[in-house]
Amino acid sequence: MGVLGVTSRRFNTFFHIKHRISRPTSCDYVQNRGLSSNYSKDGSILPVLIVGAGPVGLVLSVLLTKLGIKCAVVERSIAFSKHPQAHFINNRSMEVFRKLDGLAEEIQRSQPPVELWRKFIYCTSLTGSVIGSVNHMQTQDFDQIVSPVSVAHFSQYKLNALLIKQLEAIGFTIHGHEGLNHRHLPEREILMGHNCISVEPADSFINVTTSFVKEGKHIENKFPCRFLVGADGAGSTVRNLVGIEMRGEKDIQKLVSVHFLSKELGQYLMYEKPGMLFFIFNPGAIGVLVAHDLKQGEFILQMPFYPPQQKFEDFTSETCKRLIFKLVGRELADINVVDIKPWVMHAEVAEKYLACENRIILAGDAAHRFPPAGGFGMNTGIQDAHNLAWKLAAIIKGIAPMSILPTYEMERRPIALFNTDLSIQNFQAAMAVPAALGLDPATANSVHQVINNTVGSILPSTIQKTLLDGIFSLGRAQLSDFVLNENNPLGSSRLAKVRRIFEEGKSLQLQFPAEDLGFRYREGALVPEIDSEGAPIRPEPPTGRRREYIPSADPGSRLPHMNVKILSEVKKEVIISTLDLISGDKVEFLLIIAPIDSSYRLAHVVLKVANELNILVKVCVMWPNGLVNGHARTKTSLAPWENYVDVVEVRQPSNSSSWWDICKMTHRGAILVRPDDHIAWRVKSAVVGDIRFEMKKVFSAILGL
């Protein structure tokens, strides 16, 4: 929900460096099953090089390393940013973090208590009257019926620190901008202060050249890699080098982001008006305050910015303090302005995610730039990494051919386009409240555009600024106590309109469970289902309002969550989520069946076919609630195969549905789940015909064999 990255400045020093590729390149590539044989011949070629050490690049590094894939990271900045940036982690991202050695649990322990961030508050000042508030957390958000974990409010720089801690625990080393003392980049390295300046295709790899500054001199390193992942933010150098264009709406709004600390303000809000976002409207100033941590007193203030009449240089520390005091309603004795950054809001998606025979790949903000409304930016990027990791691992390990990589774009780009539309709708909902108060942001932008297009080329800049400030001051006068009160007919009418917006759920929303958990891949590494007329089933368009998640076992959907108890010879009971049945440490599929003869026969064939194709599959036998003695039958039915687990449903009082009811299937069906928790194939009843032939077709369709 906060600033997702000040990308306009991040790469501004890049373009004076010589580009060695100015357009998309064509790379000759051997389209073999996998690449594992190549790595033994030349250990100096890194399997995966990631550009960008933000959350997406770091998460991808952890995922790949857990899957046994060698990788390294280069980052342009010489140090990790302390700017809070993104802060809302949705359900699906938290589910991914549960697989990263307790990361989700550590986030939940470290985040502020939910009572301090569940509300959005609309007010005339932080110490003044409240226009209204919206509670964005509902009871079902914590009951763990649809997900084993809840959403979180945790600043991006704190998330980065936890990811670095995890990477260091698995052997990663962070090097400063002084560079390496050897020619090749070894695995498990994070190079800080290294700017990617060129990418050059070779016969079977990519040469990546980076530049760092040492004693005032630019020094270059060249690193060969099989795959290059650009996770380097909205101003992606990798994307620019290979000539991939962004498509969508540019320059929706220019803003200034002020990072400041004040424990005095944090303590006041913690006890008087706790919330995550504060929308402040008064005659002196307008802004949105993001409370990253009330206890620590850490905040980000977002304010609209209208150049060229307003210059970024005018937003000095003292100017920002005065604006903050106006928005607070009084001065703060302990205020400390840490950082001030400009940024531009866009709603764009890359025209493609892959280049250079699919060996250069975009992920995260490098592939999509959203308005921050709804917190989709970082979360979509984390899920990009989760989708990509197992596919890269499958290629490198020789499980799948290169032809599986286009499914990354086929699956993730439509999600980005959908989330772009949803972000725009949510941003427009955010503008509904100021518009109801008589401050339509569209009008402000139109006034600014008129000034630029008319008198902008005639009047001196100082007069233009005075004119713009005067018009905006007149607009803000509508927020005075004289106008905005119940005794003034105009003010009363406007306040009533705002209340209706809140009551009807038409203001800015925080959570979108149907989209966060229910997004579905319609085509890609899966066997899609079609409707009765033979056409692919299309998603419902976004509404911009909160919709509850309805579990689904349709191909492309994330596997529904249900608590299950592992049946074993050991008496100790272990209760896990169905999502925990999918391994995070190997490229392994999961086949879920019921304990019936036809399904055991199917599982036996699946295990045999998978073994022939060098594919790992684990069978999960789902026993109905109350049955706990199925070990012997499964062992006998699946012999000689031993890669299986027996589990029994654990039904909750608030939801007595069986597993197969939740999946809207009969117990005669079966579900095949990919390594990223998404369903690759399902059959609603027993497989008809030659099971071996059908399962070979299924795996071929999924992996592109």
Side-chain angles (χ1 to χ4, degrees):
M1 293 293 300
V3 183
L4 300 184
V6 186
T7 56
S8 58
R9 300 178 70 198
R10 184 174 180 186
F11 298 108
N12 62 355
T13 60
F14 163 73
F15 293 99
H16 75 277
I17 299 172
K18 174 176 64 174
H19 285 199
R20 294 176 194 166
I21 292 180
S22 58
R23 56 185 174 80
T25 60
S26 175
C27 305
D28 293 327
Y29 199 80
V30 180
Q31 296 288 325
N32 57 6
R33 172 80 183 269
L35 302 174
S36 53
S37 61
N38 293 332
Y39 296 109
S40 60
K41 295 178 182 177
D42 188 354
S44 66
I45 298 177
L46 189 70
V48 181
L49 177 60
I50 300 163
V51 179
V56 176
L58 297 179
V59 167
L60 182 59
S61 303
V62 177
L63 291 170
L64 287 172
T65 304
K66 285 173 69 66
L67 291 169
I69 302 305
K70 296 178 181 180
C71 63
V73 183
V74 295
E75 164 60 41
R76 180 183 183 276
S77 302
I78 62 173
F80 292 101
S81 173
K82 292 292 185 181
H83 202 83
Q85 297 172 285
H87 58 95
F88 179 67
I89 307 175
N90 70 18
N91 265 128
R92 187 63 190 126
S93 294
M94 287 294 283
E95 289 177 351
V96 173
F97 291 165
R98 287 180 78 248
K99 303 257 177 119
L100 304 187
D101 301 323
L103 178 60
E105 291 80 0
E106 192 162 4
I107 290 170
Q108 289 180 317
R109 286 194 301 269
S110 305
Q111 71 173 344
V114 69
E115 293 304 320
L116 298 183
W117 53 267
R118 66 190 305 152
K119 291 183 179 180
F120 290 176
I121 294 174
Y122 300 77
C123 55
T124 57
S125 73
L126 294 176
T127 56
S129 59
V130 173
I131 297 170
S133 66
V134 180
N135 183 355
H136 289 282
M137 304 302 292
Q138 301 179 9
T139 304
Q140 63 265 33
D141 297 329
F142 304 99
D143 59 16
Q144 297 188 351
I145 295 295
V146 298
S147 176
V149 64
S150 301
V151 300
H153 173 47
F154 197 64
S155 298
Q156 181 174 315
Y157 78 91
K158 296 179 181 178
L159 173 61
N160 281 355
L162 294 184
L163 289 167
I164 290 295
K165 179 180 170 184
Q166 286 222 351
L167 287 165
E168 289 177 333
I170 57 178
F172 272 73
T173 303
I174 301 174
H175 284 278
H177 60 283
E178 70 277 2
L180 294 173
N181 296 322
H182 36 78
R183 288 185 177 182
H184 72 276
L185 178 60
E187 63 172 309
R188 305 192 188 196
E189 298 279 351
I190 300 176
L191 286 187
M192 305 298 292
H194 281 246
N195 187 24
C196 177
I197 61 172
S198 79
V199 291
E200 298 174 283
D203 288 342
S204 60
F205 57 90
I206 302 289
N207 269 320
V208 179
T209 304
T210 68
S211 173
F212 66 97
V213 178
K214 185 176 182 180
E215 298 175 354
K217 296 181 180 178
H218 285 275
I219 300 174
E220 295 183 3
N221 279 328
K222 184 172 286 188
F223 303 125
C225 62
R226 300 294 180 184
F227 295 100
L228 174 66
V229 180
D232 49 342
S236 171
T237 301
V238 173
R239 187 186 68 230
N240 290 329
L241 281 171
V242 296
I244 296 177
E245 299 290 334
M246 299 296 284
R247 298 281 185 257
E249 190 174 351
K250 294 180 183 290
D251 300 339
I252 295 173
Q253 179 72 63
K254 293 181 174 66
L255 300 105
V256 170
S257 173
V258 184
H259 178 201
F260 73 95
L261 305 174
S262 172
K263 285 195 173 181
E264 179 186 344
L265 178 59
Q267 289 293 309
Y268 170 79
L269 292 174
M270 192 160 56
Y271 292 106
E272 298 295 330
K273 338 179 154 160
M276 177 191 283
L277 296 188
F278 296 83
F279 299 82
I280 311 161
F281 308 99
N282 69 48
I286 294 172
V288 178
L289 186 75
V290 185
H292 279 263
D293 194 317
L294 290 177
K295 188 174 182 180
Q296 294 178 1
E298 184 168 31
F299 302 93
I300 289 285
L301 174 63
Q302 308 277 23
M303 296 178 291
F305 169 46
Y306 297 93
Q309 291 79 19
Q310 295 177 345
K311 294 182 173 59
F312 172 67
E313 294 74 20
D314 295 337
F315 288 86
T316 63
S317 180
E318 288 304 313
T319 299
C320 290
K321 283 182 183 179
R322 289 194 296 271
L323 288 168
I324 291 167
F325 295 159
K326 287 180 181 179
L327 294 167
V328 172
R330 61 178 172 84
E331 294 190 359
L332 301 169
D334 67 341
I335 188 170
N336 174 22
V337 174
V338 179
D339 198 9
I340 306 165
K341 297 190 177 197
W343 66 285
V344 183
M345 186 187 299
H346 305 284
E348 297 178 300
V349 176
E351 61 182 346
K352 59 182 180 177
Y353 283 18
L354 304 169
C356 198
E357 296 296 326
N358 303 334
R359 286 188 279 124
I360 298 178
I361 307 159
L362 301 182
D365 285 357
H368 41 72
R369 309 192 288 199
F370 308 138
F376 289 100
M378 181 179 71
N379 289 296
T380 305
I382 288 165
Q383 290 143 36
D384 289 343
H386 196 219
N387 182 289
L388 179 61
W390 77 270
K391 293 174 181 176
L392 285 175
I395 294 169
I396 292 166
K397 288 175 175 289
I399 298 167
M402 279 289 291
S403 57
I404 195 175
L405 262 185
T407 68
Y408 166 67
E409 179 180 315
M410 290 167 66
E411 293 175 353
R412 294 305 302 166
R413 191 169 182 274
I415 300 299
L417 291 168
F418 185 95
N419 288 347
T420 302
D421 292 342
L422 188 52
S423 297
I424 291 173
Q425 289 181 355
N426 206 27
F427 174 68
Q428 291 169 344
M431 299 300 100
V433 172
L437 294 174
L439 292 172
D440 190 343
T443 302
N445 289 330
S446 297
V447 168
H448 180 230
Q449 190 172 7
V450 167
I451 291 175
N452 286 338
N453 294 340
T454 55
V455 298
S457 60
I458 303 171
L459 296 177
S461 58
T462 53
I463 296 178
Q464 289 184 53
K465 183 179 185 304
T466 301
L467 177 62
L468 186 69
D469 289 346
I471 293 172
F472 285 174
S473 295
L474 285 173
R476 291 195 304 270
Q478 299 178 81
L479 301 171
S480 67
D481 292 338
F482 173 75
V483 176
L484 206 59
N485 70 81
E486 296 292 353
N487 296 322
N488 184 310
L490 179 60
S492 177
S493 171
R494 288 176 173 174
L495 290 170
K497 187 181 293 186
V498 170
R499 284 193 294 271
R500 284 196 300 273
I501 290 171
F502 295 150
E503 290 165 1
E504 295 171 5
K506 293 182 178 179
S507 61
L508 178 72
Q509 299 298 300
L510 175 64
Q511 291 206 75
F512 294 88
E515 288 77 17
D516 293 343
L517 291 173
F519 68 87
R520 177 184 172 194
Y521 304 137
R522 305 288 164 167
E523 59 178 349
L526 52 90
V527 180
E529 290 187 349
I530 58 177
D531 62 21
S532 57
E533 297 179 357
I537 301 170
R538 297 299 172 192
E540 293 182 25
T543 65
R545 301 190 196 180
R546 173 173 173 144
R547 295 186 296 186
E548 297 307 320
Y549 162 71
I550 300 173
S552 170
D554 294 337
S557 301
R558 159 253 196 207
L559 182 71
H561 155 72
M562 184 183 196
N563 283 333
V564 295
K565 182 168 60 178
I566 297 177
L567 301 179
S568 67
E569 306 297 337
V570 183
K571 289 186 177 180
K572 182 181 177 182
E573 293 186 351
V574 178
I575 296 178
I576 62 172
S577 167
T578 46
L579 295 168
D580 298 326
L581 295 166
I582 298 103
S583 173
D585 300 324
K586 49 192 169 184
V587 181
E588 181 180 68
F589 289 79
L590 179 74
L591 180 70
I592 303 176
I593 63 169
I596 59 175
D597 290 342
S598 61
S599 293
Y600 278 127
R601 286 194 295 272
L602 170 66
H604 208 283
V605 173
V606 168
L607 289 168
K608 187 173 182 179
V609 169
N611 184 62
E612 293 170 358
L613 296 174
N614 191 30
I615 300 167
L616 289 178
V617 174
K618 179 169 67 178
V619 174
C620 168
V621 181
M622 182 73 70
W623 291 81
N625 183 47
L627 292 181
V628 293
N629 58 352
H631 314 293
R633 183 179 179 190
T634 297
K635 185 175 183 179
T636 302
S637 299
L638 295 183
W641 309 106
E642 297 181 350
N643 196 22
Y644 63 85
V645 60
D646 286 286
V647 301
V648 63
E649 302 169 343
V650 177
R651 301 186 191 179
Q652 299 194 26
S654 58
N655 184 4
S656 60
S657 300
S658 73
W659 167 252
W660 301 105
D661 288 339
I662 289 171
C663 294
K664 300 178 180 62
M665 295 170 57
T666 73
H667 70 288
R668 297 187 178 280
I671 300 170
L672 184 67
V673 190
R674 307 186 324 190
D676 63 352
D677 308 340
H678 282 259
I679 295 168
W681 167 84
R682 63 107 176 253
V683 59
K684 292 183 177 181
S685 57
V687 176
V688 178
D690 185 335
I691 298 177
R692 177 183 171 84
F693 177 72
E694 289 299 322
M695 294 317 301
K696 278 192 170 184
K697 281 173 55 181
V698 166
F699 283 116
S700 295
I702 295 167
L703 296 173
L705 301 181

